[in-house]
């Protein structure tokens, strides 16, 4: 098993800036969502990914355009990074018809067939069997593709986790299990619900190659994911990566956070993936203040356009309320 934080070469400037830009993009998108939520433009549940950006950004580097991604309800970043436009995600957050799920899904149910982004799954562990099915279909059709399945550590308590791991291993399916271990499932700390808190060990018990990764370090995530994806494409079967990470905000928009010590949060914030990576790049002479200003400007423009698009969007007419409950007969 490789060490948790192996020494890694810093990538060349353009790629390094791209990693940083993507992390900033995901964070700013969500910070904008917080403002819009407070203004009651976005309603319902809203689970923020702030603090965990290095996982999605690093992991996406290993994927090809025709690979599939399955995620949870904390998935705005995954969708953005996969190529679902900020505008169609924002319209979905508003509940507008122009959203990627026609405004019917909202924050927790982003879907996009074009980019093979299969949710947005609100049920804990719900994405796992979906990923098994997608990977089985690829295997049966002899497509050399990877299905990356992101889920929180809370999912390992579900029976479906064990069933999915078993079938993936038994059938040697091309799945990359990306477990985002942020230590808490709502208000329950992992150690309060699991006798074995080393999640890679659980995966290894199914004969799935597994190892822990520093999820606050975008380069560590990228390295581990690229290695695992390469092995999967070579026919080595499912892999499981346990990304050790942390969410800086409440579970959902508001929770009193009585289950964790404020000092713990402050300690983890010292490892903020964006500021630590920026500091590393500056130290290596790969990042200037002008670069940072340009990133802010580009991201700001994209978000302004996304909000305008959502504002200008339309509400689905009430006559369409029952559409898509059952599949529609083909139109003649
Ligand atoms: C089957 C099921 N049980 C309970 C819930 C309620 N619930 C929503 S989020 C959550 C915690 C999940 O934690 P984790 O998997 O660690 O993901 P995180 O929120 O930390 O990203 C729970 C229990 C649910 N959505 N689905
Ligand atoms: Mg969790």
């Amino acid at each position: 098993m490789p060490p948790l934080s192996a020494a890694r070469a810093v990538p060349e400037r353009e790629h390094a800036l791209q990693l940083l830009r993507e992390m900033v993009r995901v964070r700013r998108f969500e910070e904008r969502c917080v403002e819009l939520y407070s203004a009651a433009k976005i309603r319902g549940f809203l689970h923020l990914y702030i603090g965990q950006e290095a996982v999605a950004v690093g992991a996406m580097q290993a994927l090809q355009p025709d690979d599939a991604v399955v995620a949870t309800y904390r998935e705005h970043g995954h969708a953005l990074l996969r190529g679902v436009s900020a505008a169609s995600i924002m319209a979905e957050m508003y509940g507008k018809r122009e959203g990627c799920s026609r405004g019917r899904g909202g924050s927790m149910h982003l879907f996009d067939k074009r980019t093979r982004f299969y949710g947005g799954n609100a049920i804990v562990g719900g994405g796992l069997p979906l990923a098994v099915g997608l990977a089985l279909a690829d295997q049966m059709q002899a497509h050399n593709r990877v299905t990356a399945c992101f889920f929180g550590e809370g999912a390992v308590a579900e029976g479906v986790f064990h069933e999915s791991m078993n079938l993936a291993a038994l059938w040697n399916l091309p799945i990359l299990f990306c477990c985002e271990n942020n230590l808490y499932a709502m208000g329950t700390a992992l150690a309060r619900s699991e006798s074995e808190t080393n999640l890679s060990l659980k995966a290894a018990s199914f004969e799935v190659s597994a190892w822990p990764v520093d999820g606050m370090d975008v380069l560590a995530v990228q390295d581990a994911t690229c290695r695992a994806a390469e092995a999967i494409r070579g026919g080595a079967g499912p892999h499981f990566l346990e990304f050790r990470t942390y969410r800086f905000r409440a579970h959902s928009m508001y929770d009193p956070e009585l289950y964790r010590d404020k000092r713990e949060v402050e300690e983890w914030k010292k490892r903020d993936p964006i500021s630590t990576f920026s500091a590393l790049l500056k130290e290596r002479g790969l990042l200037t203040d002008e670069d940072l200003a340009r990133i802010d400007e580009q991201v700001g423009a994209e978000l302004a356009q996304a909000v305008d698009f959502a504002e200008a969007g339309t509400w689905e007419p009430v006559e369409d309320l029952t559409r898509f409950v059952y599949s529609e007969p083909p139109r003649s």
Side-chain angles (χ1 to χ4, degrees), residues 63-126:
L63 301 186
Q64 301 292 335
D66 64 344
D67 290 336
V69 171
V70 179
T72 70
Y73 45 83
R74 207 179 288 289
E75 89 289 26
H76 316 130
H78 305 74
L80 265 178
L81 297 165
R82 207 37 203 160
V84 187
S85 76
S88 74
I89 299 174
M90 195 59 90
E92 189 59 39
M93 310 289 277
Y94 269 60
K96 297 282 180 82
R97 188 160 47 174
E98 291 74 11
C100 58
S101 303
R102 259 185 98 89
R104 289 177 168 231
S107 160
M108 297 205 282
H109 305 100
L110 306 175
F111 265 76
D112 185 57
K113 195 174 160 200
R114 185 185 61 83
T115 54
R116 304 199 71 225
F117 187 78
Y118 296 101
N121 291 279
I123 300 301
V124 174

Side-chain angles (χ1 to χ4, degrees), residues 52 73-74 152-154 180-186 247:
Q52 299 183 212
Y73 45 83
R74 207 179 288 289
E153 86 295 339
E180 302 200 41
N181 180 3
N182 61 11
L183 301 176
Y184 295 92
M186 292 182 94
R247 64 170 157 73

Side-chain angles (χ1 to χ4, degrees), residues 122-151:
I123 300 301
V124 174
L128 288 149
L130 191 57
V132 170
L134 286 163
L136 178 62
D138 281 339
Q139 186 188 63
M140 291 173 79
Q141 293 171 74
H143 294 310
N144 191 10
R145 293 163 164 175
V146 171
T147 294
C149 180
F150 293 85
F151 54 97

Side-chain angles (χ1 to χ4, degrees), residues 235-247:
H239 280 56
F240 177 101
L241 297 177
E242 178 195 344
F243 297 111
R244 295 189 176 162
T245 183
Y246 202 78
R247 64 170 157 73

